[in-house]
Amino acid sequence: MARTTGRSTTHPTRRLVQLYVGLMLYGASSALLVRAELGLEPWGVLHQGLAELTGISIGVVSIIIGAVVLLLWIPLRQRPGLGTVSNVFVVGLAMDGTLAVVGDLDGLGFRVPVMVLGIVLNGVATGLYIAARFGPGPRDGLMTGLNRVTGRSIRLVRTAIEVAVVVTGFLLGGSLGAGTVLYALAIGPLAQFFLRIFALPEPAGPAAVAPADEPSTSAPPAGSGPVADPASGQAILPQ
């Protein structure tokens, strides 16, 4: 009984550490993709395009877009968690902080490895953040909310959102390239792998019983709905 109590007191601490380390690494990985200048992830293309248009830093743009997307949860009746709200602020701040430390890169000999590092680090961050189970990111919540309201598949809703985001971002001056394609191909398998690595066991005891609508798997975040299935590789990004 004493062991169970010990786990229950330390388990939330580990989850919080995973959450915030994951969010900071996610922002850092996005910044590395910016410095590589070989193409960004879909939402990064939009953030960069708006940053070019407005003159606001890309991290602050990410925060603003995250807040706007979170407002769209209201008509969709989505419930944010600590991870959802933290995502809005921490990722953008970490992104601007990393960009302030990492300067421009010259030559493909530097940019290609940084692009690969950014994508792999994004997968690590995804596994850490989602496995902490503090709720989906605002953009994933928009996706699952539209999935529930429209009855369309997660794959279709995700594709429609990201095509719209990429096209809009590109027209505004966002960066598309090899990094965008490699990210799209690699992030699903990477995230699935690191979700398994960082998965936390469900705490024992009556207080830890999950709600009836919560997924039974330990890796995905509570309340994330269809996003919780890492097998698809298409609906687990914590944006």
Side-chain angles (χ1 to χ4, degrees):
M1 198 69 175
R3 290 182 180 178
T4 303
T5 304
R7 288 196 192 102
S8 65
T9 56
T10 58
H11 189 60
T13 302
R14 181 179 168 183
R15 290 176 60 207
L16 283 170
V17 170
Q18 281 201 196
L19 169 67
Y20 288 107
V21 170
L23 292 177
M24 288 188 289
L25 288 180
Y26 196 95
S29 68
S30 296
L32 292 179
L33 291 176
V34 171
R35 288 298 186 223
E37 297 182 358
L38 293 171
L40 304 179
E41 74 278 18
W43 283 93
V45 177
L46 177 62
H47 298 158
Q48 188 181 54
L50 288 170
E52 294 286 340
L53 180 68
T54 62
I56 302 173
S57 74
I58 190 170
V60 173
V61 168
S62 172
I63 293 172
I64 294 171
I65 293 298
V68 170
V69 171
L70 194 55
L71 289 176
L72 297 177
W73 282 34
I74 297 173
L76 296 175
R77 297 182 180 179
Q78 293 283 92
R79 291 178 298 175
L82 175 64
T84 309
V85 178
S86 298
N87 183 295
V88 173
F89 298 99
V90 176
V91 171
L93 293 174
M95 192 174 185
D96 275 351
T98 304
L99 289 171
V101 174
V102 180
D104 294 334
L105 302 174
D106 295 324
L108 290 177
F110 290 103
R111 289 160 58 196
V112 170
V114 168
M115 174 193 71
V116 173
L117 175 61
I119 293 172
V120 173
L121 194 60
N122 196 281
V124 174
T126 299
L128 282 167
Y129 162 65
I130 293 182
R133 299 194 307 274
F134 277 107
R139 297 157 185 82
D140 268 352
L142 174 65
M143 176 180 64
T144 56
L146 289 173
N147 158 251
R148 189 184 67 252
V149 169
T150 65
R152 303 294 183 180
S153 69
I154 280 288
R155 193 177 298 270
L156 177 61
V157 172
R158 180 188 176 89
T159 300
I161 291 174
E162 294 199 348
V163 166
V165 163
V166 167
V167 170
T168 303
F170 178 71
L171 292 176
L172 292 173
S175 174
L176 285 177
T180 310
V181 177
L182 183 59
Y183 181 93
L185 293 175
I187 193 59
L190 283 172
Q192 181 176 346
F193 174 76
F194 286 110
L195 272 167
R196 292 171 179 169
I197 295 295
F198 298 118
L200 295 171
E202 293 287 352
V209 175
D213 61 344
E214 183 174 328
S216 59
T217 173
S218 63
S224 63
V227 177
D229 180 12
S232 69
Q234 299 295 322
I236 52 178
L237 305 187
Q239 298 195 37

PDB file of all heavy atoms in Angstrom, residues 203-225:
ATOM      1  N   PRO A 203      -1.741   5.258 -12.956  1.00  0.00           N
ATOM      2  CA  PRO A 203      -1.596   5.102 -11.515  1.00  0.00           C
ATOM      3  C   PRO A 203      -2.649   4.172 -10.937  1.00  0.00           C
ATOM      4  O   PRO A 203      -3.779   4.162 -11.405  1.00  0.00           O
ATOM      5  CB  PRO A 203      -1.753   6.519 -10.976  1.00  0.00           C
ATOM      6  CG  PRO A 203      -2.137   7.380 -12.109  1.00  0.00           C
ATOM      7  CD  PRO A 203      -2.047   6.587 -13.372  1.00  0.00           C
ATOM      8  N   ALA A 204      -2.253   3.386  -9.923  1.00  0.00           N
ATOM      9  CA  ALA A 204      -3.186   2.448  -9.294  1.00  0.00           C
ATOM     10  C   ALA A 204      -4.041   3.163  -8.276  1.00  0.00           C
ATOM     11  O   ALA A 204      -3.709   4.234  -7.804  1.00  0.00           O
ATOM     12  CB  ALA A 204      -2.406   1.316  -8.632  1.00  0.00           C
ATOM     13  N   GLY A 205      -5.172   2.539  -7.951  1.00  0.00           N
ATOM     14  CA  GLY A 205      -6.020   3.085  -6.881  1.00  0.00           C
ATOM     15  C   GLY A 205      -7.294   3.667  -7.427  1.00  0.00           C
ATOM     16  O   GLY A 205      -7.376   4.053  -8.581  1.00  0.00           O
ATOM     17  N   PRO A 206      -8.343   3.768  -6.573  1.00  0.00           N
ATOM     18  CA  PRO A 206      -9.648   4.265  -7.003  1.00  0.00           C
ATOM     19  C   PRO A 206      -9.591   5.675  -7.542  1.00  0.00           C
ATOM     20  O   PRO A 206     -10.320   6.029  -8.439  1.00  0.00           O
ATOM     21  CB  PRO A 206     -10.491   4.210  -5.718  1.00  0.00           C
ATOM     22  CG  PRO A 206      -9.784   3.255  -4.818  1.00  0.00           C
ATOM     23  CD  PRO A 206      -8.352   3.352  -5.150  1.00  0.00           C
ATOM     24  N   ALA A 207      -8.688   6.527  -7.006  1.00  0.00           N
ATOM     25  CA  ALA A 207      -8.647   7.924  -7.436  1.00  0.00           C
ATOM     26  C   ALA A 207      -8.146   8.044  -8.848  1.00  0.00           C
ATOM     27  O   ALA A 207      -8.306   9.068  -9.489  1.00  0.00           O
ATOM     28  CB  ALA A 207      -7.744   8.741  -6.503  1.00  0.00           C
ATOM     29  N   ALA A 208      -7.498   6.983  -9.356  1.00  0.00           N
ATOM     30  CA  ALA A 208      -6.906   7.073 -10.686  1.00  0.00           C
ATOM     31  C   ALA A 208      -7.773   6.450 -11.751  1.00  0.00           C
ATOM     32  O   ALA A 208      -7.353   6.296 -12.880  1.00  0.00           O
ATOM     33  CB  ALA A 208      -5.541   6.391 -10.689  1.00  0.00           C
ATOM     34  N   VAL A 209      -9.000   6.024 -11.397  1.00  0.00           N
ATOM     35  CA  VAL A 209      -9.878   5.407 -12.385  1.00  0.00           C
ATOM     36  C   VAL A 209     -10.234   6.422 -13.457  1.00  0.00           C
ATOM     37  O   VAL A 209     -10.665   7.529 -13.163  1.00  0.00           O
ATOM     38  CB  VAL A 209     -11.160   4.872 -11.709  1.00  0.00           C
ATOM     39  CG1 VAL A 209     -12.105   4.338 -12.758  1.00  0.00           C
ATOM     40  CG2 VAL A 209     -10.807   3.798 -10.696  1.00  0.00           C
ATOM     41  N   ALA A 210     -10.036   6.047 -14.725  1.00  0.00           N
ATOM     42  CA  ALA A 210     -10.285   6.984 -15.823  1.00  0.00           C
ATOM     43  C   ALA A 210     -11.763   7.149 -16.057  1.00  0.00           C
ATOM     44  O   ALA A 210     -12.559   6.236 -15.809  1.00  0.00           O
ATOM     45  CB  ALA A 210      -9.614   6.464 -17.095  1.00  0.00           C
ATOM     46  N   PRO A 211     -12.191   8.322 -16.560  1.00  0.00           N
ATOM     47  CA  PRO A 211     -13.574   8.509 -16.925  1.00  0.00           C
ATOM     48  C   PRO A 211     -13.980   7.528 -18.008  1.00  0.00           C
ATOM     49  O   PRO A 211     -13.138   7.017 -18.738  1.00  0.00           O
ATOM     50  CB  PRO A 211     -13.608   9.958 -17.463  1.00  0.00           C
ATOM     51  CG  PRO A 211     -12.390  10.610 -16.894  1.00  0.00           C
ATOM     52  CD  PRO A 211     -11.384   9.530 -16.745  1.00  0.00           C
ATOM     53  N   ALA A 212     -15.304   7.340 -18.111  1.00  0.00           N
ATOM     54  CA  ALA A 212     -15.804   6.333 -19.050  1.00  0.00           C
ATOM     55  C   ALA A 212     -15.438   6.640 -20.482  1.00  0.00           C
ATOM     56  O   ALA A 212     -15.275   5.745 -21.298  1.00  0.00           O
ATOM     57  CB  ALA A 212     -17.330   6.229 -18.926  1.00  0.00           C
ATOM     58  N   ASP A 213     -15.280   7.950 -20.826  1.00  0.00           N
ATOM     59  CA  ASP A 213     -15.011   8.288 -22.218  1.00  0.00           C
ATOM     60  C   ASP A 213     -13.530   8.453 -22.498  1.00  0.00           C
ATOM     61  O   ASP A 213     -13.139   8.827 -23.587  1.00  0.00           O
ATOM     62  CB  ASP A 213     -15.732   9.591 -22.607  1.00  0.00           C
ATOM     63  CG  ASP A 213     -15.260  10.776 -21.763  1.00  0.00           C
ATOM     64  OD1 ASP A 213     -14.634  10.529 -20.719  1.00  0.00           O
ATOM     65  OD2 ASP A 213     -15.549  11.917 -22.158  1.00  0.00           O
ATOM     66  N   GLU A 214     -12.669   8.143 -21.501  1.00  0.00           N
ATOM     67  CA  GLU A 214     -11.238   8.317 -21.716  1.00  0.00           C
ATOM     68  C   GLU A 214     -10.665   7.084 -22.373  1.00  0.00           C
ATOM     69  O   GLU A 214     -11.030   5.965 -22.034  1.00  0.00           O
ATOM     70  CB  GLU A 214     -10.534   8.568 -20.382  1.00  0.00           C
ATOM     71  CG  GLU A 214      -9.046   8.828 -20.561  1.00  0.00           C
ATOM     72  CD  GLU A 214      -8.391   9.218 -19.260  1.00  0.00           C
ATOM     73  OE1 GLU A 214      -9.071   9.850 -18.429  1.00  0.00           O
ATOM     74  OE2 GLU A 214      -7.211   8.874 -19.073  1.00  0.00           O
ATOM     75  N   PRO A 215      -9.718   7.240 -23.343  1.00  0.00           N
ATOM     76  CA  PRO A 215      -9.116   6.080 -23.990  1.00  0.00           C
ATOM     77  C   PRO A 215      -8.413   5.198 -22.965  1.00  0.00           C
ATOM     78  O   PRO A 215      -7.836   5.686 -21.995  1.00  0.00           O
ATOM     79  CB  PRO A 215      -8.093   6.724 -24.958  1.00  0.00           C
ATOM     80  CG  PRO A 215      -8.565   8.124 -25.153  1.00  0.00           C
ATOM     81  CD  PRO A 215      -9.246   8.504 -23.882  1.00  0.00           C
ATOM     82  N   SER A 216      -8.428   3.896 -23.206  1.00  0.00           N
ATOM     83  CA  SER A 216      -7.849   2.962 -22.261  1.00  0.00           C
ATOM     84  C   SER A 216      -6.339   2.878 -22.372  1.00  0.00           C
ATOM     85  O   SER A 216      -5.669   2.454 -21.467  1.00  0.00           O
ATOM     86  CB  SER A 216      -8.434   1.559 -22.487  1.00  0.00           C
ATOM     87  OG  SER A 216      -8.182   1.126 -23.804  1.00  0.00           O
ATOM     88  N   THR A 217      -5.758   3.252 -23.511  1.00  0.00           N
ATOM     89  CA  THR A 217      -4.315   3.188 -23.681  1.00  0.00           C
ATOM     90  C   THR A 217      -3.634   4.234 -22.835  1.00  0.00           C
ATOM     91  O   THR A 217      -4.153   5.301 -22.615  1.00  0.00           O
ATOM     92  CB  THR A 217      -3.930   3.371 -25.161  1.00  0.00           C
ATOM     93  OG1 THR A 217      -2.513   3.472 -25.223  1.00  0.00           O
ATOM     94  CG2 THR A 217      -4.537   4.608 -25.751  1.00  0.00           C
ATOM     95  N   SER A 218      -2.415   3.937 -22.368  1.00  0.00           N
ATOM     96  CA  SER A 218      -1.726   4.842 -21.453  1.00  0.00           C
ATOM     97  C   SER A 218      -1.018   5.972 -22.156  1.00  0.00           C
ATOM     98  O   SER A 218      -0.707   6.969 -21.563  1.00  0.00           O
ATOM     99  CB  SER A 218      -0.711   4.057 -20.626  1.00  0.00           C
ATOM    100  OG  SER A 218       0.281   3.502 -21.465  1.00  0.00           O
ATOM    101  N   ALA A 219      -0.698   5.836 -23.448  1.00  0.00           N
ATOM    102  CA  ALA A 219       0.132   6.840 -24.088  1.00  0.00           C
ATOM    103  C   ALA A 219      -0.585   8.119 -24.458  1.00  0.00           C
ATOM    104  O   ALA A 219      -0.079   9.185 -24.231  1.00  0.00           O
ATOM    105  CB  ALA A 219       0.789   6.237 -25.331  1.00  0.00           C
ATOM    106  N   PRO A 220      -1.821   8.087 -25.057  1.00  0.00           N
ATOM    107  CA  PRO A 220      -2.412   9.316 -25.536  1.00  0.00           C
ATOM    108  C   PRO A 220      -2.958  10.181 -24.416  1.00  0.00           C
ATOM    109  O   PRO A 220      -3.192   9.702 -23.307  1.00  0.00           O
ATOM    110  CB  PRO A 220      -3.550   8.817 -26.450  1.00  0.00           C
ATOM    111  CG  PRO A 220      -3.263   7.378 -26.676  1.00  0.00           C
ATOM    112  CD  PRO A 220      -2.566   6.919 -25.436  1.00  0.00           C
ATOM    113  N   PRO A 221      -3.213  11.474 -24.694  1.00  0.00           N
ATOM    114  CA  PRO A 221      -3.735  12.371 -23.681  1.00  0.00           C
ATOM    115  C   PRO A 221      -5.203  12.162 -23.424  1.00  0.00           C
ATOM    116  O   PRO A 221      -5.952  11.831 -24.333  1.00  0.00           O
ATOM    117  CB  PRO A 221      -3.482  13.750 -24.293  1.00  0.00           C
ATOM    118  CG  PRO A 221      -3.498  13.503 -25.767  1.00  0.00           C
ATOM    119  CD  PRO A 221      -2.947  12.134 -25.963  1.00  0.00           C
ATOM    120  N   ALA A 222      -5.627  12.383 -22.197  1.00  0.00           N
ATOM    121  CA  ALA A 222      -7.037  12.238 -21.854  1.00  0.00           C
ATOM    122  C   ALA A 222      -7.864  13.229 -22.624  1.00  0.00           C
ATOM    123  O   ALA A 222      -7.504  14.383 -22.793  1.00  0.00           O
ATOM    124  CB  ALA A 222      -7.219  12.465 -20.352  1.00  0.00           C
ATOM    125  N   GLY A 223      -8.996  12.770 -23.116  1.00  0.00           N
ATOM    126  CA  GLY A 223      -9.917  13.651 -23.814  1.00  0.00           C
ATOM    127  C   GLY A 223      -9.536  13.925 -25.242  1.00  0.00           C
ATOM    128  O   GLY A 223     -10.104  14.782 -25.896  1.00  0.00           O
ATOM    129  N   SER A 224      -8.526  13.204 -25.782  1.00  0.00           N
ATOM    130  CA  SER A 224      -8.071  13.532 -27.120  1.00  0.00           C
ATOM    131  C   SER A 224      -8.843  12.802 -28.199  1.00  0.00           C
ATOM    132  O   SER A 224      -8.617  13.017 -29.373  1.00  0.00           O
ATOM    133  CB  SER A 224      -6.584  13.200 -27.255  1.00  0.00           C
ATOM    134  OG  SER A 224      -6.383  11.818 -27.082  1.00  0.00           O
ATOM    135  N   GLY A 225      -9.746  11.906 -27.839  1.00  0.00           N
ATOM    136  CA  GLY A 225     -10.599  11.246 -28.809  1.00  0.00           C
ATOM    137  C   GLY A 225      -9.780  10.470 -29.819  1.00  0.00           C
ATOM    138  O   GLY A 225      -8.805   9.811 -29.489  1.00  0.00           O
TER     139      GLY A 225
END
